[in-house]
Coordinates of all heavy atoms in Angstrom, one line a residue:
G1 N 25.3 1.4 27.1 CA 25.5 1.1 28.5 C 24.4 0.2 29.1 O 24.2 0.2 30.3
F2 N 23.6 -0.5 28.2 CA 22.4 -1.3 28.6 C 22.8 -2.8 28.5 O 23.5 -3.2 27.6 CB 21.2 -1.0 27.9 CG 20.8 0.4 28.0 CD1 21.2 1.4 27.2 CD2 19.8 0.8 29.0 CE1 20.8 2.8 27.3 CE2 19.4 2.1 29.2 CZ 19.9 3.1 28.4
S3 N 22.2 -3.5 29.4 CA 22.5 -5.0 29.4 C 21.8 -5.7 28.3 O 22.1 -6.8 27.9 CB 22.0 -5.6 30.7 OG 20.6 -5.4 30.9
E4 N 20.7 -5.1 27.7 CA 20.0 -5.6 26.5 C 19.7 -4.5 25.6 O 19.6 -3.3 26.0 CB 18.7 -6.3 27.0 CG 17.7 -5.5 27.8 CD 16.5 -6.3 28.2 OE1 16.0 -7.0 27.4 OE2 16.1 -6.1 29.4
P5 N 19.5 -4.7 24.3 CA 19.2 -3.7 23.3 C 18.0 -2.9 23.7 O 17.0 -3.4 24.2 CB 19.0 -4.5 22.0 CG 19.7 -5.8 22.3 CD 19.6 -6.1 23.7
Q6 N 18.1 -1.6 23.3 CA 16.9 -0.7 23.5 C 16.3 -0.4 22.2 O 16.9 -0.2 21.2 CB 17.4 0.6 24.3 CG 18.0 0.3 25.6 CD 17.0 -0.2 26.6 OE1 16.0 0.5 27.0 NE2 17.2 -1.4 27.1
Y7 N 15.0 -0.2 22.2 CA 14.2 0.1 21.1 C 13.2 1.3 21.3 O 12.9 1.5 22.5 CB 13.3 -1.1 20.7 CG 14.0 -2.4 20.3 CD1 14.5 -3.2 21.3 CD2 14.3 -2.7 19.0 CE1 15.3 -4.3 21.0 CE2 15.0 -3.9 18.7 CZ 15.4 -4.7 19.7 OH 16.1 -5.8 19.4
V8 N 12.9 2.0 20.3 CA 11.9 3.0 20.4 C 10.5 2.4 20.6 O 10.1 1.7 19.8 CB 11.8 4.0 19.2 CG1 10.7 5.0 19.3 CG2 13.2 4.7 19.0
V9 N 9.9 2.6 21.8 CA 8.6 2.0 22.0 C 7.5 3.0 21.9 O 6.3 2.6 21.8 CB 8.6 1.3 23.4 CG1 9.6 0.2 23.4 CG2 8.8 2.3 24.5
R10 N 7.8 4.3 22.1 CA 6.7 5.3 21.9 C 7.3 6.6 21.6 O 8.5 6.9 21.9 CB 5.9 5.4 23.2 CG 4.6 6.3 23.1 CD 3.7 6.0 24.2 NE 4.2 6.3 25.6 CZ 4.1 7.5 26.1 NH1 3.5 8.5 25.5 NH2 4.6 7.7 27.3
I11 N 6.6 7.5 20.9 CA 7.0 8.9 20.6 C 6.0 9.8 21.1 O 4.8 9.8 20.7 CB 7.3 9.0 19.1 CG1 8.3 8.1 18.6 CG2 7.6 10.5 18.8 CD1 8.5 8.1 17.1
D12 N 6.5 10.7 22.0 CA 5.5 11.7 22.6 C 5.8 13.0 21.9 O 6.7 13.8 22.3 CB 5.8 11.8 24.1 CG 4.9 12.8 24.8 OD1 4.2 13.5 24.2 OD2 4.9 12.8 26.0
S13 N 5.0 13.4 20.9 CA 5.2 14.6 20.2 C 5.0 15.9 21.0 O 5.6 16.9 20.8 CB 4.4 14.6 18.9 OG 3.0 14.5 19.3
S14 N 4.0 15.8 21.9 CA 3.7 17.0 22.7 C 4.9 17.4 23.6 O 5.0 18.7 23.8 CB 2.5 16.8 23.6 OG 2.7 15.7 24.5
N15 N 5.7 16.5 24.0 CA 6.9 16.8 24.9 C 8.2 16.6 24.1 O 9.2 16.7 24.7 CB 6.9 16.0 26.1 CG 5.7 16.3 27.0 OD1 5.5 17.5 27.3 ND2 4.9 15.2 27.4
A16 N 8.1 16.3 22.8 CA 9.3 16.0 22.0 C 10.2 14.9 22.7 O 11.4 15.1 22.7 CB 10.1 17.3 21.8
E17 N 9.5 13.9 23.2 CA 10.2 12.8 23.9 C 10.2 11.6 23.1 O 9.2 11.2 22.5 CB 9.7 12.6 25.2 CG 10.1 13.6 26.3 CD 9.6 13.1 27.7 OE1 8.8 12.3 27.8 OE2 10.2 13.7 28.7
V18 N 11.3 10.8 23.0 CA 11.5 9.5 22.4 C 11.6 8.5 23.6 O 12.6 8.6 24.4 CB 12.6 9.4 21.5 CG1 12.8 8.0 21.0 CG2 12.4 10.4 20.3
I19 N 10.7 7.6 23.8 CA 10.7 6.7 24.9 C 11.3 5.4 24.4 O 10.7 4.8 23.4 CB 9.3 6.4 25.5 CG1 8.8 7.8 26.0 CG2 9.3 5.4 26.6 CD1 7.9 8.6 25.1
V20 N 12.2 4.8 25.1 CA 12.9 3.6 24.7 C 12.8 2.6 25.8 O 12.5 2.9 27.0 CB 14.3 3.8 24.3 CG1 14.5 4.8 23.2 CG2 15.1 4.2 25.6
G21 N 12.9 1.3 25.4 CA 12.8 0.2 26.3 C 13.2 -1.1 25.7 O 13.6 -1.1 24.5
P22 N 13.2 -2.2 26.4 CA 13.6 -3.5 25.9 C 12.6 -4.0 24.8 O 11.5 -3.5 24.7 CB 13.6 -4.4 27.1 CG 12.6 -3.8 28.0 CD 12.8 -2.3 27.8
Q23 N 13.0 -5.0 24.1 CA 12.1 -5.5 23.0 C 10.8 -6.0 23.5 O 9.8 -5.8 22.8 CB 12.8 -6.6 22.3 CG 12.1 -7.1 21.0 CD 12.8 -8.2 20.2 OE1 13.0 -9.3 20.8 NE2 13.2 -7.9 19.0
S24 N 10.8 -6.5 24.7 CA 9.5 -7.0 25.3 C 8.4 -5.9 25.4 O 7.2 -6.1 25.4 CB 9.7 -7.6 26.7 OG 10.3 -6.7 27.6
A25 N 8.9 -4.6 25.5 CA 8.0 -3.5 25.6 C 7.3 -3.2 24.3 O 6.3 -2.4 24.3 CB 8.7 -2.3 26.2
L26 N 7.7 -3.8 23.3 CA 7.1 -3.6 22.0 C 5.9 -4.5 21.7 O 5.2 -4.4 20.7 CB 8.1 -3.7 20.9 CG 9.2 -2.6 20.7 CD1 10.3 -3.1 19.7 CD2 8.6 -1.3 20.3
N27 N 5.8 -5.5 22.5 CA 4.7 -6.5 22.3 C 3.3 -5.9 22.4 O 3.0 -5.2 23.5 CB 4.8 -7.7 23.4 CG 5.9 -8.7 23.1 OD1 6.4 -8.7 21.9 ND2 6.4 -9.3 24.1
T28 N 2.5 -6.0 21.4 CA 1.2 -5.4 21.4 C 0.2 -6.5 21.2 O 0.3 -7.3 20.3 CB 1.1 -4.4 20.3 OG1 2.1 -3.4 20.5 CG2 -0.3 -3.7 20.3
Y29 N -0.9 -6.5 22.1 CA -1.9 -7.5 22.0 C -3.2 -6.9 21.4 O -4.0 -7.5 20.9 CB -2.2 -8.1 23.3 CG -1.1 -9.1 23.8 CD1 -0.1 -8.7 24.5 CD2 -1.3 -10.5 23.5 CE1 0.9 -9.6 24.9 CE2 -0.4 -11.4 23.9 CZ 0.7 -11.0 24.6 OH 1.7 -11.9 25.0
D30 N -3.4 -5.6 21.8 CA -4.7 -5.0 21.3 C -4.5 -3.4 21.1 O -3.6 -2.8 21.7 CB -5.9 -5.2 22.3 CG -5.5 -4.7 23.7 OD1 -5.7 -3.5 24.0 OD2 -4.9 -5.4 24.5
F31 N -5.3 -2.9 20.2 CA -5.2 -1.5 19.8 C -6.5 -1.1 19.1 O -7.2 -2.0 18.7 CB -4.0 -1.3 18.9 CG -3.9 -2.1 17.7 CD1 -4.4 -1.7 16.5 CD2 -3.2 -3.3 17.8 CE1 -4.3 -2.5 15.4 CE2 -3.1 -4.1 16.7 CZ -3.7 -3.8 15.5
E32 N -6.6 0.1 18.9 CA -7.8 0.7 18.1 C -7.5 1.2 16.8 O -6.3 1.6 16.6 CB -8.6 1.7 18.9 CG -9.3 1.2 20.2 CD -10.1 2.2 20.9 OE1 -10.3 3.3 20.3 OE2 -10.6 1.9 22.0
I33 N -8.4 1.1 15.9 CA -8.2 1.6 14.5 C -9.3 2.6 14.2 O -10.4 2.5 14.7 CB -8.1 0.5 13.5 CG1 -9.3 -0.4 13.4 CG2 -6.8 -0.4 13.7 CD1 -9.3 -1.4 12.3
S34 N -9.1 3.5 13.2 CA -10.1 4.4 12.8 C -10.2 4.4 11.3 O -9.4 3.8 10.6 CB -9.7 5.8 13.3 OG -8.4 6.2 12.8
N35 N -11.2 5.1 10.8 CA -11.4 5.3 9.3 C -11.4 3.9 8.6 O -10.8 3.6 7.6 CB -10.4 6.1 8.7 CG -10.4 7.5 9.2 OD1 -9.4 7.9 9.9 ND2 -11.4 8.3 8.9
V36 N -12.2 3.0 9.2 CA -12.3 1.6 8.7 C -13.0 1.6 7.3 O -14.1 2.2 7.1 CB -13.1 0.7 9.7 CG1 -13.4 -0.7 9.0 CG2 -12.3 0.5 10.9
N37 N -12.4 0.9 6.4 CA -13.0 0.6 5.1 C -13.4 -0.9 5.1 O -12.5 -1.7 5.1 CB -12.1 1.0 3.9 CG -12.7 0.7 2.5 OD1 -13.9 1.1 2.3 ND2 -12.1 -0.1 1.7
W38 N -14.6 -1.2 5.0 CA -15.1 -2.6 5.2 C -15.6 -3.1 3.9 O -16.4 -2.5 3.2 CB -16.2 -2.7 6.2 CG -16.8 -4.1 6.4 CD1 -18.1 -4.5 6.1 CD2 -16.1 -5.2 6.9 NE1 -18.3 -5.8 6.4 CE2 -17.1 -6.3 6.9 CE3 -14.8 -5.4 7.5 CZ2 -16.7 -7.5 7.4 CZ3 -14.6 -6.7 7.9 CH2 -15.5 -7.8 7.9
L39 N -15.0 -4.3 3.4 CA -15.3 -4.9 2.2 C -15.9 -6.3 2.3 O -16.1 -7.0 1.4 CB -14.1 -5.0 1.3 CG -13.4 -3.7 0.9 CD1 -12.0 -4.0 0.2 CD2 -14.3 -2.9 0.0
G40 N -16.4 -6.6 3.5 CA -17.0 -7.9 3.8 C -18.4 -7.9 3.4 O -19.0 -6.8 3.0
D41 N -19.1 -9.0 3.3 CA -20.5 -9.2 2.9 C -21.5 -8.7 3.9 O -22.5 -8.1 3.5 CB -20.8 -10.6 2.5 CG -19.9 -11.1 1.3 OD1 -19.6 -10.2 0.4 OD2 -19.5 -12.3 1.2
L42 N -21.2 -9.0 5.2 CA -22.2 -8.6 6.2 C -21.8 -7.2 6.7 O -20.7 -6.7 6.6 CB -22.0 -9.6 7.4 CG -22.4 -11.0 7.1 CD1 -22.2 -11.9 8.3 CD2 -23.9 -11.1 6.6
P43 N -22.8 -6.5 7.3 CA -22.6 -5.1 7.7 C -21.5 -5.1 8.9 O -21.4 -6.0 9.7 CB -23.9 -4.7 8.3 CG -24.9 -5.6 7.6 CD -24.2 -6.9 7.4
F44 N -20.7 -4.0 8.9 CA -19.7 -3.9 9.9 C -20.4 -3.1 11.1 O -20.3 -1.9 11.2 CB -18.6 -3.0 9.4 CG -17.3 -3.0 10.3 CD1 -16.5 -4.1 10.4 CD2 -17.0 -1.8 11.0 CE1 -15.4 -4.1 11.2 CE2 -16.0 -1.8 11.8 CZ -15.1 -2.9 11.9
E45 N -20.9 -4.0 12.0 CA -21.7 -3.4 13.1 C -21.9 -4.5 14.2 O -21.6 -5.6 14.0 CB -23.0 -2.8 12.7 CG -24.0 -3.9 12.1 CD -25.2 -3.3 11.5 OE1 -25.3 -2.2 11.3 OE2 -26.1 -4.1 11.3
G46 N -22.4 -4.0 15.3 CA -22.7 -4.9 16.4 C -21.5 -5.1 17.3 O -20.4 -4.6 17.1
E47 N -21.7 -5.8 18.4 CA -20.7 -6.0 19.4 C -20.0 -7.4 19.2 O -19.0 -7.7 19.9 CB -21.3 -6.0 20.8 CG -21.9 -4.6 21.2 CD -22.5 -4.6 22.6 OE1 -22.5 -5.6 23.2 OE2 -22.9 -3.5 23.0

């Protein structure tokens, strides 16, 4: 019953909820990562 396709955009495990929205809601520009394994030549540090 939606005018445009719906996608899963987030999953809330604490409330057992599946949040859906249009494709535009899936666009991601920035995020954080953990447990980095760095294989570059210079140290992985600094701002």
Side-chain angles (χ1 to χ4, degrees):
F2 296 90
S3 59
E4 58 182 315
Q6 298 293 294
Y7 299 80
V8 175
V9 298
R10 187 163 65 90
I11 298 174
D12 183 352
S13 61
S14 60
N15 294 310
E17 284 188 341
V18 176
I19 299 90
V20 301
Q23 188 179 59
S24 60
L26 290 170
N27 285 337
T28 303
Y29 286 89
D30 57 89
F31 53 91
E32 290 189 6
I33 59 174
S34 59
N35 299 111
V36 171
N37 180 50
W38 178 246
L39 296 174
D41 295 329
L42 299 176
F44 189 76
E45 60 185 16
E47 298 180 356

